[in-house]
Amino acid sequence: MQLVRYRSTTGTIVLGLMANNRLVGTFPAPNTTLSDLLRLHIDELRMLIEYALQGNKEIALEKVLAPIDGSTEVWAAGVTYKRSEEARREESDTPNIYARVYQAERPELFFKATARRVSGPGELIAVRSDSHWDVPEPELAVVANAHGEIVGYTIANDVSSRSIEGENPLYLPQAKVYSGSCALGPTITLAWTMPDPRQLKIQMQIERGGKTYWEGETNTNGLKRSMEELISYLYRDNDFPGGAILCTGTALVPEHPFTLEQDDVVHIDIEQLGILHNPVVRGKAALLHRL
Ligand code: DO4
Ligand code: MG
């Protein structure tokens, strides 16, 4: 079962429940947000969902929106798969730091986006205008509530500049955090309705000029750390009153010299979570112009 945030045919933003691609309920309070739900303990959320399943199913869906709102933050873990560690060593003048963090007890965690900065399904993502080597990063994202409990999973695209990060690792925030650098969706699959998040096929296809230009496949079974370990480090001495969405790292990195280009379309398919499609533009001006 999935939580879906959508715009209705009357223009209101609604939070609904989906099963088998059908809307099966909405929340009794019409203005309920996802960040409201992420303030609850998981047992309270499960009870509210039971109640919502009896709610109005007639609020028709026009457009699925990014599954994030309010004060929920997006964070990301890095170098959690062997392929990511290898790719960073290739691109960097300081390869040793990536090998060290892959082995270390403390994971690499970095801030990625606020709700306002996230692109939803079908919306534009961007590469930076001052970067010449850019990649999408298809990732399983864990949705945690204010209490650090895992509530669900969604798909993330941690779009990144390899040239900027490769030049100097201290440039990581600029390589990772800019307008159009994060996409999430299409929905949040509830944790208790999903068998095993450690056995999910992840596929990415990059379309250029209407044809498949790059494609690859991996599986979450290559993730070096557990989701609980990553969430527990994120919440250590940090608080998230509206919950947090943590991208768990990438294992699919297109080989050099691949770089994303304007008008490419990135399709990420994760088993049980759906498909996230996003067209690419270059730079903030194109992003704002075409929104
Ligand atoms: O170390 C830089 C970021 C790594 C990352 O985003 C990933 O492994 O997915
Ligand atoms: Mg990443």
Side-chain angles (χ1 to χ4, degrees):
M1 186 181 300
Q2 288 89 28
L3 280 170
V4 59
R5 186 171 162 264
Y6 67 95
R7 194 174 63 220
S8 72
T9 44
T10 60
T12 52
I13 295 181
V14 183
L15 206 53
L17 286 163
M18 288 187 82
N20 303 320
N21 289 322
R22 266 190 338 110
L23 203 58
V24 290
T26 53
F27 288 84
N31 298 327
T32 306
T33 63
L34 270 171
S35 61
D36 291 338
L37 298 186
L38 294 178
R39 283 174 214 281
L40 304 175
H41 279 283
I42 200 158
D43 294 345
E44 297 168 315
L45 176 65
R46 290 186 70 159
M47 270 162 42
L48 185 63
I49 284 178
E50 287 305 314
Y51 194 53
L53 285 173
Q54 288 139 45
N56 182 0
K57 303 167 182 64
E58 311 306 321
I59 313 176
L61 188 157
E62 185 178 274
K63 181 180 191 290
V64 176
L65 303 173
I68 185 168
D69 56 28
S71 62
T72 308
E73 295 173 9
V74 185
W75 286 67
V79 199
T80 50
Y81 289 86
K82 192 69 190 155
R83 173 68 189 121
S84 176
E85 187 248 9
E86 287 163 2
R88 310 286 153 186
R89 281 196 285 112
E90 271 160 38
E91 81 197 8
S92 180
D93 292 340
T94 48
N96 189 30
I97 61 163
Y98 296 97
R100 273 171 48 205
V101 81
Y102 184 71
Q103 299 297 343
E105 191 183 329
R106 183 187 290 275
E108 177 197 359
L109 297 173
F110 57 91
F111 176 77
K112 181 72 186 172
T114 52
R116 178 185 74 75
R117 291 176 166 274
V118 173
S119 306
E123 291 177 348
L124 298 175
I125 51 174
V127 293
R128 290 185 62 120
S129 58
D130 59 356
S131 168
H132 59 84
W133 187 15
D134 304 279
V135 283
E137 293 192 359
E139 305 190 9
L140 171 67
V142 178
V143 182
N145 64 20
H147 315 284
E149 296 168 317
I150 296 178
V151 164
Y153 300 92
T154 189
I155 302 175
N157 190 346
D158 170 24
V159 192
S160 304
S161 162
R162 294 188 74 182
S163 49
I164 294 176
E165 183 187 342
E167 189 180 337
N168 186 325
L170 293 179
Y171 294 154
L172 186 80
Q174 294 175 75
K176 293 286 188 180
V177 184
Y178 59 89
S179 300
S181 69
C182 180
L184 294 176
T187 59
I188 296 174
T189 299
L190 295 163
W192 57 92
T193 67
M194 237 178 83
D196 187 2
R198 301 292 310 238
Q199 292 294 340
L200 301 177
K201 188 158 59 169
I202 302 183
Q203 290 168 299
M204 178 165 69
Q205 188 214 347
I206 300 165
E207 188 188 321
R208 186 167 294 171
K211 297 200 180 79
T212 300
Y213 186 77
W214 189 93
E215 62 189 332
E217 180 181 317
T218 186
N219 193 292
T220 56
N221 62 15
L223 184 59
K224 184 161 189 278
R225 301 174 190 261
S226 73
M227 324 272 173
E228 290 74 16
E229 174 191 353
L230 293 172
I231 291 289
S232 111
Y233 265 100
L234 181 64
Y235 279 62
R236 190 187 281 190
D237 282 313
N238 216 339
D239 65 319
F240 299 94
I245 300 186
L246 178 64
C247 313
T248 55
T250 191
L252 280 179
V253 186
E255 312 68 28
H256 183 261
F258 172 89
T259 186
L260 268 184
E261 287 182 2
Q262 164 120 358
D263 298 328
D264 285 353
V265 183
V266 182
H267 305 267
I268 303 172
D269 182 340
I270 304 189
E271 243 179 306
Q272 297 186 52
L273 303 186
I275 305 181
L276 178 64
H277 310 271
N278 298 96
V280 180
V281 293
R282 173 166 295 279
K284 183 172 76 172
L287 189 70
L288 299 178
H289 178 71
R290 286 172 51 176
L291 273 181

